[in-house]
Amino acid sequence: MPLMVAREHTPLPFMKMHGLGNDFVVVDARLRAHPLPPELVIAIADRHKGVGYDQLAVIEPGAGDAHLVFYNSDGSTSAACGNATRCIARYLMDETGKHDLHLTTDRGDLYAVDAGNGLTSVNMGQPQLAWDEIPLAHEMDTLELPMDGKPTATGMGNPHCTFFVDDAEAVDLQTRGAEIEHHPLYPQRTNVQFASVVGPDHLRMRVWERGVGVTLASGSSSCATAVAAARRGLTGRKVRIDLDGGSLQVDWRDDGVWMTGQTMHVFTAQLTPEFLDSVG
């Protein structure tokens, strides 16, 4: 393109954040809307030619402190993303000086609090345990699905399939996760977890995210696994979950599933007009 020709796009500011290695591109659209067509979402996700992320999150004006919208790296949307919610909550707390926040998502109303020592807690709401809420293809017992391994199905605003195994480290996550994500019992595809019991109220978990692949951590997957373990009598309702990227504390209380952990705002940058023009 000739240098004298005005470009169609202006730079798009964004932030890079992560929760235990579960990484995000975050666009703050509270003051200015930023259209994000699927082809742009996918282009930004490319770790070689774009920025790279597990999920992209958009902060919009909302009825509470903000409304959050989530995209997977394949361009699809997700109603919930626990670690991204924690990262954004920490950013908004630092910005406003508040110690508690009311956030809205397609999942519903979520509440976040400063847990001290740099930790952030988010209430991910009540789990969805009925087959048609998760959703599954037809009526069945969600505690033990009619699949090899008898996994447990849970909804956290997105569908989950949790397998309890002797050794989560030994699972071929790349192969098994890709297969199970598209299992016919899950009409909207599913996140997949493999978890093993380490000790009392202590789990080791690895995760395959719907529309993403293998990730170092997942907040909603951690919540779903904690709920599944408690329902099956493997743990109590408050557990530590060790993921590939670090540990989260999950507490299934009467008012919802609370998740607590560390966050990191890595850098703030902008997508250039050249990059945006190349996408279209």
Side-chain angles (χ1 to χ4, degrees):
M1 177 180 292
L3 293 178
M4 296 300 293
V5 176
R7 296 191 178 278
E8 177 183 355
H9 297 94
T10 57
L12 174 59
F14 71 93
M15 296 172 282
K16 189 68 184 290
M17 301 179 176
H18 78 84
L20 309 182
N22 189 196
D23 66 330
F24 315 105
V25 162
V26 179
V27 175
D28 190 343
R30 287 176 293 170
L31 297 179
R32 174 187 160 204
H34 298 285
L36 291 168
E39 58 269 22
L40 178 57
V41 172
I42 294 170
I44 298 171
D46 191 312
R47 294 189 184 275
H48 299 287
K49 298 180 180 179
V51 180
Y53 62 78
D54 291 330
Q55 275 87 24
L56 185 152
V58 182
I59 311 173
E60 298 180 344
D65 292 287
H67 180 75
L68 308 184
V69 178
F70 306 106
Y71 297 87
N72 297 316
S73 57
D74 68 352
S76 61
T77 58
S78 179
C81 183
N83 279 331
T85 301
R86 286 193 309 105
C87 287
I88 293 169
R90 171 54 54 187
Y91 167 72
L92 295 175
M93 287 177 189
D94 290 343
E95 176 189 70
T96 63
K98 292 184 175 182
H99 293 280
D100 57 88
L101 298 172
H102 170 205
L103 304 172
T104 58
T105 69
D106 290 345
R107 154 76 162 143
D109 293 335
L110 304 181
Y111 296 89
V113 298
D114 184 347
N117 298 316
L119 302 178
T120 306
S121 295
V122 171
N123 183 351
M124 293 298 292
Q126 290 293 353
Q128 297 153 319
L129 306 180
W131 71 272
D132 54 342
E133 294 177 338
I134 293 171
L136 299 175
H138 54 82
E139 185 173 0
M140 67 190 76
D141 180 5
T142 62
L143 189 61
E144 292 191 354
L145 298 183
M147 298 166 52
D148 289 342
K150 301 293 184 182
T152 297
T154 310
M156 290 301 309
N158 48 10
H160 295 270
C161 183
T162 306
F163 293 81
F164 292 97
V165 297
D166 291 335
D167 184 4
E169 303 282 352
V171 174
D172 182 354
L173 185 58
Q174 187 76 40
T175 300
R176 295 293 309 284
E179 293 172 350
I180 297 161
E181 176 184 348
H182 297 275
H183 194 282
L185 287 185
Y186 285 89
Q188 297 180 8
R189 300 182 295 165
T190 185
N191 299 278
V192 185
Q193 304 88 35
F194 292 91
S196 47
V197 178
V198 177
D201 299 325
H202 186 186
L203 299 170
R204 169 71 172 106
M205 186 191 80
R206 300 174 66 212
V207 60
W208 173 278
E209 287 203 71
R210 174 185 65 163
V212 180
V214 177
T215 57
L216 295 179
S218 169
S220 62
S221 290
S222 297
C223 293
T225 297
V227 168
R231 290 180 67 203
R232 294 178 73 139
L234 300 174
T235 66
R237 291 165 66 105
K238 184 176 183 179
V239 298
R240 167 183 164 180
I241 298 184
D242 295 338
L243 302 109
D244 289 343
S247 297
L248 287 170
Q249 299 288 334
V250 181
D251 188 1
W252 183 12
R253 306 177 194 170
D254 291 341
D255 63 344
V257 184
W258 286 85
M259 173 185 57
T260 304
Q262 297 178 332
T263 62
M264 179 60 66
H265 181 171
V266 183
F267 62 84
T268 299
Q270 63 183 21
L271 298 170
T272 66
E274 289 86 350
F275 175 79
L276 296 171
D277 287 343
S278 74
V279 177

